[in-house]
Amino acid sequence: MDAEESNVEEDYEMNISKIMIHSRFIDMLGIPGPCDPEDLIDGIIFAANYLGSTQLLSDKTPSKNIRMMQAQEAVSRIKASEGEPQPMTEVDLFISTQRIKVLNADSQETMMDHPLRTISYIADIGNIVVLMARRRMPRPDSQENVEASDPEQDSKRQYKMICHVFESEDAQLIAQSIGQAFSVAYQEFLRANGINPEDLSQKEYSDLLNTQDMYNDDLIHFSKSENCKDVFIEKAKGEILGVVIVESGWGSILPTVIIANMMHAGPAERSGRLNIGDQIMSINGTSLVGLPLSTCQSIIKGLKNQSRIKMNIVRCPPVTTVLIRRPDLRYQLGFSVQNGIICSLMRGGIAERGGVRVGHRIIEINSQSVVATPHEKIVHILSNAVGEIHMKTMPAAMYRLLTAQEQPVYI
């Protein structure tokens, strides 16, 4: 099952005015699978044993036979030899049209959290389930500034495949449910954008989206080596780093944390090497990409007794520039807003392609400040905007700090 082109929506249980007005549950009962489609939207849970994970290298589009061989290779690496004890952890496997999460059955602590779109293949082998998530390996430096990729070279590029191995009596049911989740997510995405799946093929809709660039200018910004830096911070042992961090926002090209404030005369500010808005990729070799905010905060707090800290950062302005291209009112924007804050975002839609991020506060729309604009007027402006829609946004938590609505808590 190739899930590379699947699109999902970030779900928020809020009573808010929708910019993407649609019915979530229209005519989905015909989607084949073991689950009620409405249950998959909310999420279902299976009991399983987590046996372990391994990493493989893979071509971009291997055949189904090769994918199954990769799954079997992952199982052979993880499964204990006959007669030897098998390490395992009891887990709850949460499956929805948004993501697949693995929770410790006892503590309910999240062990893994994969957006559904990142899952490339699911295999059930007897009572074993193999979940395979793919991410592309970084390009060589020599290719950083290449504007157009060579399709032949792209097809030969190697990918890292992360393989998670589980054991469950419901292995086949789990694999079928994940496959059904992709189908429900895709049809929900099409309907949310005013498209009847019965009237439009996946290729036709993909062609429509492919006319627009992804993430506005983020791809260019993150690919430039001058924006990515290793920074060393010197401090006294027992001294805190002196920063406030916030989430970059769901929808970011690389979800991580942003420096939202720095303590006056603290190590971070004293260094002169950090700025508000910088995105932290890693600290002392530990990647922060994709980690929850609380985990990133704990990692930084754990640096208190160190005297030299290495941070890999991407220079970013505190304000994000968004450019949504909306040909006419038939195209739904694909995000929701409440009191100026972006609350949800449709995966793969024109808003995500334009750089919209969940959790950001809208500062301007088409050069007009909306920081003091009532909710209803913001919705009206966005609902009726067509052509190029320019917005400036920043993380809502950062906005509250900069406007003294909240007091900083430095770590």
Side-chain angles (χ1 to χ4, degrees):
M1 183 189 315
D2 196 340
E4 181 184 358
E5 300 299 330
S6 295
N7 299 282
V8 295
E9 175 186 1
E10 186 78 356
D11 182 28
Y12 285 80
E13 298 300 327
M14 298 179 66
N15 182 20
I16 55 181
S17 300
K18 294 281 185 181
I19 305 243
M20 46 179 191
I21 301 171
H22 66 284
S23 173
R24 296 172 60 111
F25 308 118
I26 298 176
D27 191 29
M28 291 194 296
L29 297 177
I31 298 175
C35 306
D36 186 322
E38 294 187 15
D39 290 340
L40 282 172
I41 292 172
D42 294 329
I44 58 174
I45 292 177
F46 289 95
N49 290 318
Y50 169 63
L51 305 187
S53 301
T54 188
Q55 182 171 277
L56 303 172
L57 289 179
S58 173
D59 295 332
K60 181 177 182 181
T61 54
S63 67
K64 289 186 178 179
N65 287 339
I66 290 180
R67 280 188 170 126
M68 180 54 76
M69 290 172 61
Q70 290 171 336
Q72 291 170 335
E73 168 67 15
V75 174
S76 68
R77 291 186 186 183
I78 298 299
K79 282 278 282 182
S81 302
E82 189 173 347
E84 294 185 3
Q86 175 67 59
M88 64 177 65
T89 304
E90 291 186 10
V91 297
D92 289 333
L93 197 57
F94 173 86
I95 301 167
S96 77
T97 53
Q98 305 166 50
R99 61 204 328 107
I100 296 176
K101 292 177 71 172
V102 180
L103 308 170
N104 185 291
D106 294 328
S107 66
Q108 289 300 293
E109 183 177 334
T110 299
M111 297 169 59
M112 287 167 243
D113 187 353
H114 288 289
L116 189 67
R117 64 190 173 83
T118 65
I119 304 302
S120 294
Y121 191 66
I122 306 104
D124 59 290
I125 307 169
N127 66 341
I128 297 295
V129 177
V130 182
L131 200 64
M132 305 173 78
R134 193 188 70 185
R135 63 185 181 89
R136 196 172 68 186
M137 295 179 70
R139 290 187 177 187
D141 292 341
S142 60
Q143 295 185 5
E144 279 187 354
N145 297 318
V146 176
E147 293 185 3
S149 62
D150 182 342
E152 185 177 347
Q153 288 296 109
D154 192 61
S155 65
K156 295 177 181 177
R157 189 169 292 123
Q158 290 278 289
Y159 290 74
K160 287 182 180 179
M161 189 80 74
I162 310 298
C163 306
H164 306 299
V165 181
F166 302 89
E167 181 184 67
S168 174
E169 295 178 355
D170 297 321
Q172 186 176 15
L173 192 60
I174 290 171
Q176 291 172 348
S177 299
I178 295 172
Q180 187 185 8
F182 282 114
S183 298
V184 175
Y186 179 65
Q187 292 208 13
E188 184 188 11
F189 171 77
L190 292 182
R191 294 191 188 283
N193 283 269
I195 300 162
N196 187 340
E198 297 173 1
D199 297 337
L200 189 69
S201 70
Q202 181 171 345
K203 181 182 183 303
E204 289 173 313
Y205 191 70
S206 294
D207 288 344
L208 172 69
L209 289 177
N210 285 338
T211 62
Q212 302 190 12
D213 294 331
M214 192 67 173
Y215 293 111
N216 194 12
D217 291 330
D218 277 5
L219 282 171
I220 298 172
H221 184 86
F222 276 75
S223 67
K224 290 183 176 178
S225 57
E226 62 264 29
N227 294 326
C228 305
K229 297 183 179 296
D230 284 335
V231 172
F232 292 90
I233 309 294
E234 308 285 345
K235 68 179 192 65
K237 287 187 176 181
E239 189 179 22
I240 64 172
L241 185 60
V243 296
V244 178
I245 58 172
V246 299
E247 293 174 318
S248 60
W250 187 87
S252 307
I253 183 173
L254 283 174
T256 182
V257 291
I258 296 176
I259 297 175
N261 207 323
M262 290 188 285
M263 184 173 68
H264 178 61
E269 187 185 69
R270 284 200 313 265
S271 73
R273 298 184 177 95
L274 297 174
N275 297 310
I276 291 176
D278 287 348
Q279 296 198 24
I280 306 174
M281 298 292 110
S282 66
I283 295 180
N284 288 348
T286 300
S287 174
L288 303 191
V289 175
L291 297 182
L293 176 62
S294 58
T295 303
C296 296
Q297 290 171 330
S298 297
I299 290 171
I300 293 176
K301 289 176 182 177
L303 304 171
K304 191 172 182 180
N305 290 323
Q306 298 189 25
S307 58
R308 194 168 192 263
I309 299 165
K310 178 184 177 182
M311 304 174 70
N312 179 261
I313 63 166
V314 176
R315 293 268 184 240
C316 296
V319 175
T320 299
T321 301
V322 175
L323 174 56
I324 304 172
R325 293 182 173 90
R326 186 187 194 188
D328 56 58
L329 293 177
R330 292 177 302 160
Y331 294 82
Q332 300 300 321
L333 288 175
F335 68 96
S336 304
V337 63
Q338 174 68 20
N339 295 326
I341 299 175
I342 297 159
C343 301
S344 64
L345 175 65
M346 183 65 68
R347 261 298 178 197
I350 59 175
E352 186 195 36
R353 287 177 180 267
V356 169
R357 301 177 185 180
V358 172
H360 273 222
R361 181 180 181 86
I362 303 173
I363 308 299
E364 287 184 5
I365 302 173
N366 291 333
S367 300
Q368 176 186 347
S369 173
V370 293
V371 293
T373 303
H375 167 72
E376 293 76 13
K377 187 172 181 181
I378 293 176
V379 171
H380 177 76
I381 293 171
L382 290 169
S383 297
N384 292 282
V386 293
E388 290 193 348
I389 305 169
H390 297 261
M391 297 198 307
K392 290 185 177 178
T393 71
M394 70 165 55
M398 181 188 292
Y399 176 82
R400 291 192 296 269
L401 286 168
L402 294 178
T403 54
Q405 297 178 40
E406 288 184 1
Q407 293 300 310
V409 179
Y410 299 108
I411 55 176

